[in-house]
Amino acid sequence: MEKNRAEAVIEAILFTMGESVEVTRLAEVIGEEVEETRNIIRGMMDKLDGEDRGVAIIELENAYQMCTKGEMYEYLAQIARTPRKYVLTDALLETLSIVAYKQPVTRLEVERVRGVNSDHAVNRLVELKLVEEVGRLDAPGRPLLFGTTEEFLRSFGVRSLDELPSLDADQIADFRHQAEEEIDLKVDI
């Protein structure tokens, strides 16, 4: 294999794997002897060290790994600390609450509680990785079951679902009364 092509293949493998790759495996892929593969990689290492680049290749026993240069960590930390920006609308929060407290739950069950179609809300929560498919209900049509994710726990600062606030009987009665009043208002309109 041509040297430039071999470098490109090695770079792609090390970048994609994200962990160390044994030199013998790299040699097999590019069709070279182990020592020639080491020479190619050392040349790549020298190029990356000599240029103002954010990545380096390191040697770990008989393996190589692509990683971020140490002087780039402060910039990575700035990005990692930047919170993801997404807004949960009232409909999304309502849907998420239903899933969190009733999981595993089907879309139909969510819609029965909300009283409106919840396809968009459930799909959006899945996109945001707050809700995920957790299986199928053993019923006709085998509808999908949804539950919350680890991202949900992280986002709301709880370690487990047991830490979610619980409602006492008075709060439940108050919510029921408010819902009944809303229903009466909609009927009068």
Side-chain angles (χ1 to χ4, degrees):
M1 184 179 289
E2 179 189 325
K3 184 180 177 201
N4 287 342
R5 182 69 176 166
E7 286 179 353
V9 169
I10 291 169
E11 183 177 3
I13 291 169
L14 295 179
F15 175 79
T16 304
M17 295 304 292
E19 55 189 35
S20 65
V21 180
E22 292 177 10
V23 69
T24 54
R25 293 187 66 207
L26 292 169
E28 287 174 24
V29 171
I30 65 169
E32 293 287 346
E33 295 294 322
V34 171
E35 270 317 301
E36 180 57 25
T37 303
R38 283 185 202 279
N39 289 336
I40 293 170
I41 295 171
R42 286 186 184 122
M44 294 171 66
M45 292 167 76
D46 290 342
K47 276 191 221 175
L48 289 173
D49 287 341
E51 298 175 6
D52 192 16
R53 303 284 299 272
V55 294
I57 297 174
I58 59 171
E59 186 173 357
L60 304 165
E61 292 191 32
N62 287 319
Y64 293 91
Q65 180 175 0
M66 184 173 281
C67 61
T68 306
K69 286 185 177 176
E71 60 264 26
M72 297 295 144
Y73 288 159
E74 68 180 88
Y75 303 107
L76 292 172
Q78 290 175 13
I79 290 294
R81 281 188 293 231
T82 303
R84 280 189 238 162
K85 294 188 174 37
Y86 53 80
V87 176
L88 294 179
T89 63
D90 289 344
L92 291 179
L93 279 172
E94 187 177 273
T95 303
L96 184 57
S97 298
I98 294 165
V99 173
Y101 280 97
K102 295 183 70 68
Q103 64 184 306
V105 63
T106 64
R107 281 181 210 257
L108 184 60
E109 290 172 303
V110 171
E111 290 173 3
R112 281 186 188 141
V113 173
R114 289 192 65 221
V116 296
N117 184 303
S118 298
D119 287 346
H120 174 73
V122 171
N123 289 340
R124 185 71 180 123
L125 292 170
V126 169
E127 286 174 22
L128 295 172
K129 295 183 178 17
L130 297 172
V131 169
E132 66 185 355
E133 296 174 8
V134 295
R136 290 191 173 271
L137 185 64
D138 191 17
R142 305 221 356 108
L144 290 170
L145 291 168
F146 294 92
T148 55
T149 63
E150 284 184 359
E151 183 62 28
F152 165 80
L153 298 175
R154 267 191 293 282
S155 296
F156 288 89
V158 294
R159 286 183 297 237
S160 76
L161 296 174
D162 297 333
E163 292 183 10
L164 290 177
S166 58
L167 301 174
D168 62 35
D170 292 336
Q171 288 173 313
I172 293 171
D174 187 41
F175 290 146
R176 180 173 286 125
H177 179 70
Q178 288 176 13
E180 288 169 354
E181 285 179 353
E182 278 186 37
I183 290 171
D184 286 343
L185 287 175
K186 288 179 183 177
V187 170
D188 291 343
I189 294 177

